[in-house]
Structures are given as C-alpha cells and as structure tokens.
Amino acid sequence: MDHGTDRGAGAPGGHEAGTIAVTDPAAPGRVPLAVAVVDREGLVSHWSGGARRLFGAAEEAALGRPAIDLLPVTGALAPDEAPASRHPAAGRARLTVPTGDRVAVLWWAYPLAGPGPERLLVLAVDAAALRPREHGERAPAGEPGDVLAVERVAPGFTPRTDVPAALELARRLPALLPGMSIADSAWIVAQALELGYPVLEFGGHDRVPVVPA
C-alpha cells in the first residue's frame, strides 16, 4: 500500500494548475463516498456499502478487523491504534484490494472523542471518479463530466460554515453508517464537521466540497 502525505485541516494544496474531469457537471464534488468507523481497539466497527465497493471487502469480512489492514490511514492512527492526533488528517494512497485490483484513493480521517467506543471516522473516494485530462481539454460531447482547471486533486478541509452543502452531508452521512443508532451517527457527524468539512483541492486555490453521490 503506497500512502500519500497526511495533511491537517485547512492545509494548502500547493499544486500547479492543470485539468481534471469529474462525474457531475452540476456538482463537481459529488462522488460515491466510502465511510468507515474505527473503535478504540483500532478495529473496524462500521463499514458502509461504499467502503465495500471501494475497498473490495464485504461488511462481514471488514467488521472486527484492524483498520490498518483495510484502510489507507497512515498517520491517522498511532502505534497503539488510537488516533494519532486530535486534528483531522487527509491523504492519497494506492492500494491493492482483495480482488487484486490497484485502487487510487483520497481519504479523510477524523478523530472522535466521547463515551462511546468510536475513535476514528474515515471517509474515502475513488480517485478514478475524477478523470485527468490534458490541459485545456474538454470532455467529449455526450460524456458525463465537466473539466476543472487543475493538474492534481488533493483531499483537504475547510470550515463547515464556508460550505452551503454542509447540511446535506450532515443529513446523508448517518444513512451511510449501517447498524448505528441515529443519535450516535448524528453525534459522530457533528464532531467531524466541527473539525473541518472534506473538500477536493485543485491547484492549491480552488476547494470543492465533497457531497455523497
């Protein structure tokens, strides 16, 4: 598993301008979202359908396994498998899923606190949902997608108050946490968004909020 550099909330992207196509011209950051929760033992306690599709592991196979075996969260977990920081982290990774395929992933990890066992919320997207193109090229006629002026896209954070779509993510994330009560999932989502809203950073200048497709 090849990991990218972890980055804290609001860290600048620092990338040169180029282009990238995304799947929804109306909402460039609307992408299928994988969601997982890690408990105080460093084990996966919740695994969404999006996580199954992205990482290639069924829920029954993922639950109870060490997070570091399944998730590209280098730097987000300390050696004792607790969150490494009270600040969120983000990064890129390339990993081999159980099917043998190589997947490029962008991820965000949020440390959690409180009386429950949940200690880390992980969000991830398939970088293949963002199709790179040559500089200035537009998507072919009839092909879904729009082209934004970037060369590389990086995961980052921005204050939730800066994102009009924050309420939509807050409303939809609990539904992506199977087997969790509404109260617990709402508590986790509230903590995460308080730490920073997940965004896709283009060229170190533009930030596009992530919204579940």
Side-chain angles (χ1 to χ4, degrees), residues 1 4 9 11 21 34-35 51 54 65 89 101 106 108 111 129 132 152 163 168 170 174 180 205 209-210:
M1 189 182 297
V35 184
L54 178 56
R65 286 187 59 184
D101 295 330
L106 305 178
W108 299 259
R152 297 182 69 187
V163 182
E168 181 177 357
M180 184 176 291
H205 302 290
V210 172

Side-chain angles (χ1 to χ4, degrees), residues 51-130:
R52 173 183 56 78
R53 289 185 290 273
L54 178 56
F55 297 110
E59 181 182 7
E60 57 270 22
L63 295 181
R65 286 187 59 184
I68 57 175
D69 289 351
L70 297 170
L71 298 168
V73 290
T74 296
L77 287 172
D80 61 359
E81 298 181 331
S85 170
R86 297 182 62 181
H87 302 288
R92 300 188 190 91
R94 291 189 64 84
L95 61 151
T96 302
V97 297
T99 59
D101 295 330
R102 293 281 287 174
V103 178
V105 172
L106 305 178
W107 59 268
W108 299 259
Y110 295 87
L112 303 172
E118 299 85 5
R119 287 298 174 264
L120 195 73
L121 171 68
V122 179
L123 309 179
V125 301
D126 185 352
L130 309 167

